[in-house]
Amino acid sequence: MKYLLVLNVNPDVLAALTEEEQQAIGGGHQKFIDTIKASGEFHSTVALQQPADSAVVKVRDGLPAVTDGPFVESKEFLGGYYLVDVASRERACELAAMIPDASIEGLGVEVRGVEFADGL
């Protein structure tokens, strides 16, 4: 079954980390990618740009209106995800625990089963 491991980012939490801690996060993500590729559980991953670089599109009365993002004001935002194909929810949670963000106070990794996917 496919699970989305959602990385919710809080820029204030990341800014409070030392340069060494921030670099360890990047290295930890690469180690995680290597691990799930080697196990055959890797499907794909995406890292997103900052919300300030996004656009929000709303159609009202048939007319699109585009404004600068983000869609909602929040201290956390979707930073990216890993899509994994694993045997169980428990395994998806085990993998999520390997992601560096899961061990940083104020961050976490959401594990959500994929209900429907087209083209995967």
Side-chain angles (χ1 to χ4, degrees):
M1 180 169 180
K2 290 181 179 67
Y3 283 87
L4 199 64
L5 309 181
V6 181
L7 307 176
N8 292 305
V9 177
N10 182 329
D12 294 336
V13 170
L14 294 179
L17 300 176
T18 67
E19 182 68 29
E20 184 177 288
E21 290 169 326
Q22 291 178 14
Q23 289 177 358
I25 291 172
H29 277 276
Q30 188 58 58
K31 181 179 177 184
F32 178 72
I33 291 169
D34 294 343
T35 298
I36 60 177
K37 281 184 175 181
S39 70
E41 296 169 308
F42 176 82
H43 189 281
S44 60
T45 186
V46 170
L48 301 172
Q49 293 180 338
Q50 299 290 318
D53 297 328
S54 68
V56 177
V57 178
K58 296 179 182 180
V59 178
R60 301 296 182 263
D61 298 321
L63 299 173
V66 180
T67 59
D68 291 337
F71 179 69
V72 295
E73 293 297 322
S74 175
K75 64 181 179 178
E76 294 180 344
F77 62 87
L78 176 62
Y81 65 83
Y82 291 99
L83 182 59
V84 296
D85 194 350
V86 296
S88 66
R89 181 178 184 270
E90 290 73 23
R91 178 61 180 158
C93 290
E94 287 174 12
L95 293 177
M98 294 180 193
I99 298 173
D101 305 49
S103 64
I104 298 172
E105 187 66 38
L107 300 181
V109 179
E110 179 182 353
V111 176
R112 187 176 299 184
V114 175
E115 183 75 25
F116 169 81
D118 187 14
L120 297 179

